[in-house]
Amino acid sequence: MSVLLELKHLLLQVLPSPGMIAQGHLLCIQNHLAMVCDSLWAINSMIVIPNMGMLYNNCLEWDSIFDPELDVPGEFEDWERDVAAAVIDVGELLSRIMDWEASLHRSIVGNTKQVHFRHVILVELKEMLCHLNSLVLRGSAMGLRRDPMDSMNPLQEDDSIVLKNEVVGREEDLEKLVAIFEQQLVSSNNNGDDNNPFVIVIDGTPGVGKTTLAHMIYHHTWVRQQFHHRIWVDLPFISTFKMINLIENEFVRSINKKEYCDQKLHLHLPLPSMWECINEQLCGSRYLLVLHCENLVSLMQPGEWNELKNTLLCVGGPGSGVLIIYKLSTKAAVRDTGFLNGMKDIITYRLKPLSIDALMELFKRQAATTIPLSKQDKSEKDAWQFRNYVPSQTFGAKVFGSLSHNISASFACNLFYDVYMVRNLPLVIIRLHQYHHLLDVDNDYDVILHMLTAEYLIPTEGLERGWIQLYARYINKRVLALVFSRMVYLHMKVPEDSTIIPRYCRYLCLKINHRAIPFRLPTMPVEVSNKLITLILREHEEVAQEDVEEITLQVYKKRRMKATTAISKFLDKMSVRLIHLRILVVETSMIQRLPNEVSKLVNLRYLHLSKLKMELLPKSLFDLPNLRILSLCRCQKLQKIPERIHQLKKLQILKLAYCTKLQRLPKSITRLKNLEVIDVEGCCWLSKLPDDLVSFKSLRILNVTRCASLSQIPRGIEQSIDLRKLSGIFVGVDGGFVLAQLQTLTNLQEIRLRNLERAEKTQTEVLMGQQSLRDLSLHWGGEEANESSESATPLQVLETLRPNVCLKSLEIMSYQGAEFPSWMSKRQLARLDSLVEVKLINLTRCATLPSLGQLPCLEKLEISGMDLIKHIDDTFYGDGDTIPKLRELTFSEMLALEKWSVPKGKYFIFFPRLTQLTLVQCPKLKEIDLHYYCGTMRVWLNNETIWSAEFCCWDNLRYTQEIEIVGCPQGLDQLVSGWEVVP
């Protein structure tokens, strides 16, 4: 299944992208790229149905029903593996083409390099075409039928013929929607509203055919006549800022369908200037913008929708329109789209499932092309047998038709949804799980997120909040097993005792076990090293700990020395051969230097070095032309960064977290014009940032959390108009950063402020103008406020930090006030209806809780260290009848808490979605009134009253499915001795 998603990513996002097309024209290889695209579409048309059939077969096997023999050639798995390797190799070649900046080389030397690069690329493209064509021929020889709807780009005009011939049962829906478009167009013209595009949303259950119907509208004759520009954009889970960037690129592409290299439109202009330029090119012509969304709920939040709508108001002529399709394939997400009915400027069209007759026509059409001749006389009978079981998804009907002579109808409908989920997961989710499986990372996702960034799957600022969690809720173990069962191109984790690396391996993880005698790393064949994309070297930390305990220190040092020598020789040798490597991760304390040959890794995009015991970086490191992410985490002996860092022209992310001996950053860092992220968290000796840090026009994220020696932030940072995340900023009279300066940083999405006890007085609410703000973290240092007349009380500071109503995450830590600000009153909290996560930590002087039950979208709540709270009562719940979306609730270090109750008569529905309840250090809690809670209860550390005779509320927790006890030996003893085991 991974290969299908990889194919779609190349065919729909990479090959047709404006950047790829522009590079193809610059290098005069556009015809070769078009032929590669045609071959990939041919393979895509062959692989979909049989691949789904094999997935379905695996699903049946795991349920131990029976083991049908699907009508798929036996050699299909070998062919599929070859296809997977070829697809990854195509992606790697396209990445090199995208990384080549031939347009910047105007000197004679630059032209020579361009000619040489073009020659190399042409040779590789020709070899790749031969290989792809041979795969097409092999597929045809196996009898794999080409599916017409999977054989070409659905945005090409020729696709309209395929849609007309292949789609059934949607003629009425098409006519209704076109009629709505006509009405809206007439209404827009009559009203004389030049700047208000009408918006139509196609809503419906997953797989009902929303995207196919949108393609039919996109190609409709009337639409082509009325709209001068038709723009289709696939919108993943990214910020509105990135959405607007993607839409901007597609507008540019639509305007200049042939002149892709128009210099005026490809300059790095500020976003407003770029849209002005686009508007000039449109010359008042109408556009139809189709937004194919991963997350419709997020897009339609008031802040995001207004920002996007206001951007679109500035361009195009009267009568322009926006068509939105909801792509996400989860039942709960579809249920949440009910909010569309309340939006006045949006028309919602509810698409109903196909009629059973239309589904059966699709079923029989597919069955007629796949059923063997010996069984065709039974096809009509089989069709009637399946009539009551064919799922409502159109794709499901096609799959069932192709497998109808192999599977039992009674089991078909029950298992198909899991297969459908796998097919519709975004590629980035699949890749995230594959990297997670490869790395065995449980908590720290930074490395994985940087890998996804290096592969252009997510933006540099990371994923949208809650993006992973949203999908994780609906991906069950069987769905993941289906993904990994068909992971035919290898994300290879070599066992410690293995010496063989398969030739298909493209993503490799080697665990370093220096305890092995003799220590050796597996031999990497040339054909593997020449095509490897990702290499990970990680020290086996558990083994290292065991060694210290089991053997003498002298033997331990001797073994580590041998392992260090072997690893250094391995890196020296491999650096020359890994010509296509994009990602290199080295996490070990056994390396004191990097080989000078690291400069040979010319395609390297992401270099992650963690725990290395090196004091200086090699000069050759700064000769990497395509390096975008440099991460030097926990290199605790590293003393300085060389001035040559400015040679890394493409560097976007610089992560120096917990390099504890680093005292300063080089002045030349300000010459990195593409740098978007600077992360120096935990650099406790870092005392100063470059004075001209404000010269970074591209800086989006600045993280100086836990930089104890850093008391000054460069003046003028408010001029960084694109700054999105500001973490760990020191606020105070001596800090050089005044709260009022935040008012000018209008694009901030995340703010983390510390040392607020030293904040100055200000007369304005400094965050109210931050319409983009989504995450707010406010930390007091635990010190008393200054006695200066200019210092403000904690309550005054918190009052001035009132956030806008679009806030999604709020954290307040070590607040010294006894009262909450007015914007956290019961009435005002109800306005913060976008809040998803709240943390109140160490509010030791507050005797009451705010009315958090007023927050309708709250999903995660943590209350910790509030020493004066004895009873969680009606004040906490407010006026709400339920906290409908709360999933995780934590009470931690609540030393005085004795009673937790819910309003009488409401405990049936008060926490309808709560799945995880955690109690940590609540030693006096003796009464819990939480009837019908059926999730997981975690009881950690000292909760002595719960295990004593004083606690008599176990009956209130009778439906709890799982209790996790950590660090509570007395609690475990009580359970073992006092509870009966009920079967």
Side-chain angles (χ1 to χ4, degrees):
M1 185 51 60
S2 299
V3 66
L4 288 179
L5 297 172
E6 192 84 35
L7 257 177
K8 288 292 186 184
H9 178 67
L10 290 181
L11 290 170
L12 297 181
Q13 297 179 36
V14 178
L15 276 164
S17 69
M20 178 59 65
I21 295 173
Q23 293 293 63
H25 279 270
L26 283 170
L27 295 169
C28 300
I29 57 173
Q30 63 270 27
N31 292 333
H32 291 79
L33 289 177
M35 288 187 285
V36 166
C37 189
D38 291 341
S39 297
L40 289 175
W41 277 113
I43 291 172
N44 185 69
S45 69
M46 294 178 176
I47 197 173
V48 175
I49 294 295
N51 196 286
M52 293 297 291
M54 297 188 76
L55 269 178
Y56 198 88
N57 190 24
N58 287 338
C59 208
L60 293 172
E61 288 177 2
W62 292 332
D63 275 22
S64 302
I65 301 171
F66 54 85
D67 185 10
E69 294 182 2
L70 294 175
D71 189 23
V72 177
E75 62 270 31
F76 175 76
E77 288 197 26
D78 291 334
W79 180 78
E80 185 190 30
R81 189 178 293 109
D82 288 334
V83 166
V87 167
I88 292 202
D89 291 342
V90 171
E92 188 278 328
L93 179 59
L94 296 178
S95 295
R96 279 190 285 140
I97 294 173
M98 283 294 293
D99 285 339
W100 175 256
E101 295 187 355
S103 59
L104 300 180
H105 296 270
R106 297 303 181 191
S107 65
I108 297 176
V109 176
N111 289 332
T112 303
K113 288 182 178 180
Q114 179 176 338
V115 171
H116 174 71
F117 181 77
R118 179 178 181 274
H119 173 73
V120 172
I121 289 295
L122 278 175
V123 171
E124 293 193 44
L125 280 172
K126 289 177 181 178
E127 292 178 354
M128 194 161 285
L129 273 171
C130 290
H131 184 46
L132 292 175
N133 289 334
S134 69
L135 289 171
V136 173
L137 292 174
R138 279 175 59 187
S140 298
M142 286 188 292
L144 298 179
R145 175 181 173 270
R146 296 194 186 189
D147 185 82
M149 291 190 67
D150 290 308
S151 63
M152 68 172 60
N153 188 335
L155 299 183
Q156 289 183 353
E157 299 302 334
D158 291 344
D159 186 58
S160 59
I161 301 173
V162 175
L163 290 171
K164 185 176 181 180
N165 294 332
E166 295 293 318
V167 177
V168 298
R170 288 298 179 206
E171 294 81 4
E172 184 178 350
D173 292 300
L174 181 61
E175 291 176 3
K176 287 181 179 179
L177 272 166
V178 171
I180 294 174
F181 271 86
E182 291 176 346
Q183 293 170 6
Q184 293 300 312
L185 187 59
V186 171
S187 176
S188 298
N189 291 332
N190 291 340
N191 292 336
D193 190 351
D194 294 343
N195 298 314
N196 192 15
F198 62 85
V199 181
I200 300 174
V201 176
I202 302 180
D203 189 23
T205 56
V208 74
K210 302 185 291 292
T211 304
T212 300
L213 181 58
H215 284 141
M216 296 172 72
I217 295 170
Y218 185 87
H219 292 302
H220 194 274
T221 303
W222 180 86
V223 172
R224 284 189 288 184
Q225 291 173 347
Q226 297 298 321
F227 295 96
H228 308 96
H229 296 278
R230 291 168 297 139
I231 301 129
W232 185 290
V233 187
D234 290 296
L235 288 180
F237 276 74
I238 53 178
S239 64
T240 307
F241 177 80
K242 285 292 183 181
M243 288 182 188
I244 294 174
N245 266 333
L246 283 175
I247 295 170
E248 165 209 301
N249 290 335
E250 294 302 324
F251 264 99
V252 169
R253 189 165 129 206
S254 176
I255 293 169
N256 279 3
K257 290 188 175 180
K258 294 183 179 179
E259 301 296 332
Y260 293 101
C261 302
D262 185 283
Q263 291 298 313
K264 188 175 182 181
L265 288 175
H266 285 277
L267 291 174
H268 294 289
L269 296 174
L271 209 56
S273 301
M274 179 63 80
W275 280 105
E276 288 178 11
C277 185
I278 289 172
N279 195 34
E280 289 177 10
Q281 297 287 324
L282 285 173
C283 297
S285 55
R286 281 192 297 270
Y287 65 82
L288 173 64
L289 174 64
V290 184
L291 300 179
H292 197 202
C293 303
E294 292 275 6
N295 186 6
L296 182 60
V297 179
S298 177
L299 175 66
M300 292 302 172
Q301 294 298 326
E304 277 84 352
W305 175 244
N306 289 334
E307 186 173 350
L308 178 59
K309 186 173 70 172
N310 290 336
T311 299
L312 297 177
L313 290 178
C314 299
V315 298
S320 296
V322 181
L323 177 64
I324 300 176
I325 314 112
Y326 190 26
K327 183 180 178 182
L328 193 62
S329 300
T330 62
K331 294 178 180 178
V334 170
R335 180 180 62 241
D336 289 341
T337 59
F339 68 88
L340 286 174
N341 298 327
M343 300 195 73
K344 298 179 180 179
D345 56 346
I346 295 178
I347 299 172
T348 305
Y349 183 85
R350 181 73 180 180
L351 187 61
K352 298 179 181 179
L354 284 174
S355 67
I356 188 64
D357 291 334
L359 288 170
M360 289 308 299
E361 182 178 344
L362 285 175
F363 175 92
K364 289 188 286 186
R365 183 187 299 177
Q366 188 69 29
T369 60
T370 56
I371 292 179
L373 292 174
S374 60
K375 299 183 180 181
Q376 283 190 359
D377 56 335
K378 299 181 180 180
S379 60
E380 192 66 28
K381 181 180 179 181
D382 290 339
W384 281 100
Q385 178 188 5
F386 272 80
R387 187 178 181 90
N388 295 326
Y389 295 99
V390 172
S392 59
Q393 295 98 339
T394 55
F395 185 81
K398 293 173 69 174
V399 172
F400 278 19
S402 65
L403 306 178
S404 59
H405 57 290
N406 294 111
I407 62 176
S408 169
S410 60
F411 296 117
C413 195
N414 295 330
L415 299 176
F416 183 77
Y417 185 74
D418 288 340
V419 179
Y420 178 81
M421 275 290 296
V422 174
R423 179 179 181 260
N424 286 276
L425 287 176
L427 174 62
V428 63
I429 286 289
I430 298 291
R431 193 67 64 81
L432 184 144
H433 282 286
Q434 289 172 341
Y435 277 139
H436 184 275
H437 175 74
L438 192 67
L439 288 165
D440 288 332
V441 177
D442 292 325
N443 299 316
D444 187 2
Y445 275 91
D446 279 355
V447 176
I448 294 179
L449 296 182
H450 284 159
M451 288 177 165
L452 298 176
T453 302
E455 300 214 41
Y456 302 129
L457 293 175
I458 64 174
T460 53
E461 60 259 38
L463 296 170
E464 189 80 354
R465 173 173 288 274
W467 192 79
I468 300 174
Q469 291 80 359
L470 181 62
Y471 270 95
R473 292 176 200 153
Y474 307 105
I475 303 176
N476 56 41
K477 292 182 178 179
R478 184 162 67 179
V479 169
L480 283 180
L482 282 169
V483 171
F484 288 118
S485 71
R486 305 305 305 151
M487 194 171 66
V488 293
Y489 63 87
L490 293 179
H491 284 65
M492 180 70 181
K493 183 163 56 180
V494 176
E496 296 168 5
D497 57 349
S498 175
T499 59
I500 301 174
I501 300 177
R503 66 183 180 89
Y504 289 104
C505 186
R506 299 291 185 269
Y507 301 79
L508 176 64
C509 179
L510 298 176
K511 279 204 169 184
I512 301 170
N513 178 8
H514 60 270
R515 183 174 60 175
I517 302 175
F519 176 83
R520 60 180 178 181
L521 289 167
T523 302
M524 190 181 300
V526 175
E527 61 180 343
V528 173
S529 60
N530 284 346
K531 295 196 174 184
L532 204 65
I533 293 174
T534 296
L535 174 61
I536 302 166
L537 294 174
R538 307 192 84 184
E539 186 173 350
H540 202 309
E541 294 182 358
E542 295 178 2
V543 170
Q545 184 63 33
E546 291 173 4
D547 280 341
V548 174
E549 297 173 357
E550 296 176 5
I551 62 178
T552 65
L553 183 60
Q554 183 177 2
V555 174
Y556 174 75
K557 287 183 176 180
K558 186 176 181 179
R559 289 184 182 178
R560 282 182 65 89
M561 183 61 69
K562 288 184 177 180
T564 298
T565 303
I567 295 168
S568 297
K569 289 182 178 179
F570 176 82
L571 287 174
D572 289 345
K573 183 179 180 180
M574 287 296 104
S575 295
V576 180
R577 290 167 49 183
L578 299 170
I579 56 176
H580 293 156
L581 196 71
R582 294 204 297 258
I583 298 171
L584 175 60
V585 175
V586 181
E587 293 187 356
T588 176
S589 59
M590 291 188 287
I591 296 180
Q592 297 181 356
R593 68 171 185 85
L594 283 178
N596 288 326
E597 288 77 8
V598 71
S599 61
K600 303 294 184 182
L601 305 176
V602 294
N603 292 299
L604 197 67
R605 295 182 190 164
Y606 174 33
L607 176 60
H608 174 84
L609 305 174
S610 179
K611 305 175 186 176
L612 274 65
K613 293 184 176 180
M614 55 184 180
E615 296 181 2
L616 298 173
L617 297 172
K619 294 180 180 179
S620 58
L621 175 64
F622 303 101
D623 293 329
L624 298 172
N626 290 304
L627 192 67
R628 283 174 161 79
I629 306 172
L630 176 59
S631 177
L632 303 169
C633 295
R634 302 187 185 277
C635 294
Q636 297 182 355
K637 290 192 174 184
L638 186 65
Q639 297 181 3
K640 67 176 183 178
I641 305 296
E643 292 289 341
R644 294 187 63 185
I645 193 173
H646 73 275
Q647 295 179 210
L648 300 176
K649 301 294 186 183
K650 295 186 179 181
L651 194 66
Q652 294 176 307
I653 299 176
L654 178 61
K655 188 175 179 66
L656 303 169
Y658 297 98
C659 293
T660 52
K661 288 192 177 182
L662 190 66
Q663 298 183 31
R664 66 179 182 86
L665 295 179
K667 293 181 180 179
S668 65
I669 195 175
T670 57
R671 295 165 63 183
L672 295 171
K673 299 305 181 184
N674 292 312
L675 194 63
E676 298 183 25
V677 180
I678 298 178
D679 185 352
V680 290
E681 179 178 341
C683 294
C684 53
W685 282 20
L686 185 68
S687 59
K688 188 179 181 182
L689 294 176
D691 290 332
D692 54 349
L693 194 66
V694 295
S695 65
F696 281 123
K697 300 303 181 185
S698 59
L699 188 64
R700 303 274 178 80
I701 300 174
L702 177 61
N703 184 7
V704 293
T705 305
R706 298 185 181 90
C707 293
S709 301
L710 186 64
S711 60
Q712 289 187 346
I713 298 298
R715 293 185 181 276
I717 197 173
E718 69 275 7
Q719 298 174 23
S720 303
I721 58 175
D722 284 333
L723 202 62
R724 301 280 162 173
K725 298 181 181 180
L726 200 56
S727 300
I729 292 299
F730 183 97
V731 176
V733 176
D734 300 323
F737 189 87
V738 183
L739 282 177
Q741 289 178 290
L742 289 174
Q743 292 176 286
T744 62
L745 296 171
T746 56
N747 291 321
L748 279 175
Q749 297 175 353
E750 178 181 314
I751 303 177
R752 298 184 180 275
L753 304 175
R754 63 186 177 95
N755 294 79
L756 281 165
E757 70 281 354
R758 303 181 65 187
E760 299 170 340
K761 287 184 178 178
T762 177
Q763 302 300 318
T764 59
E765 293 181 335
V766 299
L767 298 181
M768 280 303 292
Q770 299 286 356
Q771 295 302 315
S772 300
L773 187 63
R774 299 295 177 266
D775 295 74
L776 178 61
S777 179
L778 306 172
H779 291 210
W780 280 255
E783 304 174 6
E784 295 295 331
N786 290 344
E787 296 182 359
S788 167
S789 60
E790 294 298 320
S791 62
T793 67
L795 181 58
Q796 287 174 329
V797 174
L798 204 51
E799 282 285 3
T800 63
L801 294 173
R802 175 196 294 264
N804 67 80
V805 295
C806 299
L807 195 72
K808 291 187 177 181
S809 175
L810 174 65
E811 179 183 58
I812 301 176
M813 180 176 290
S814 299
Y815 170 59
Q816 297 298 307
E819 301 177 12
F820 288 101
S822 60
W823 57 267
M824 293 185 71
S825 65
K826 181 167 68 174
R827 178 177 298 180
Q828 293 295 321
L829 272 177
R831 299 175 66 245
L832 298 175
D833 54 4
S834 295
L835 262 179
V836 174
E837 180 176 352
V838 174
K839 292 183 179 181
L840 304 177
I841 312 294
N842 294 336
L843 278 60
T844 56
R845 298 184 181 182
C846 293
T848 60
L849 288 170
S851 300
L852 298 176
Q854 301 288 106
L855 302 172
C857 293
L858 189 64
E859 295 184 10
K860 186 175 181 179
L861 173 61
E862 180 179 351
I863 299 174
S864 177
M866 298 187 69
D867 296 343
L868 300 182
I869 302 296
K870 294 184 177 181
H871 183 197
I872 299 173
D873 54 15
D874 291 1
T875 303
F876 170 72
Y877 302 109
D879 298 329
D881 291 331
T882 179
I883 304 181
K885 295 188 178 182
L886 190 66
R887 300 179 184 277
E888 298 180 26
L889 176 59
T890 300
F891 291 110
S892 174
E893 299 186 35
M894 304 289 284
L895 303 182
L897 183 62
E898 297 180 2
K899 182 179 180 181
W900 174 23
S901 58
V902 297
K904 292 183 179 180
K906 296 182 180 179
Y907 50 75
F908 284 96
I909 59 172
F910 210 85
F911 299 108
R913 296 193 189 179
L914 188 64
T915 59
Q916 182 175 302
L917 169 63
T918 303
L919 303 174
V920 183
Q921 293 279 82
C922 300
K924 295 185 179 181
L925 184 60
K926 60 184 178 181
E927 185 175 341
I928 300 177
D929 187 8
L930 196 63
H931 291 73
Y932 298 99
Y933 170 65
C934 57
T936 297
M937 180 176 176
R938 297 177 174 180
V939 185
W940 292 358
L941 303 179
N942 179 19
N943 297 275
E944 56 187 39
T945 305
I946 291 181
W947 315 116
S948 68
E950 295 182 54
F951 188 80
C952 55
C953 297
W954 285 113
D955 283 346
N956 295 343
L957 299 168
R958 71 183 71 178
Y959 297 106
T960 303
Q961 293 183 347
E962 181 180 345
I963 296 180
E964 178 182 313
I965 303 173
V966 178
C968 305
Q970 75 278 18
L972 186 59
D973 293 340
Q974 290 284 346
L975 286 178
V976 172
S977 61
W979 282 18
E980 292 184 7
V981 178
V982 180

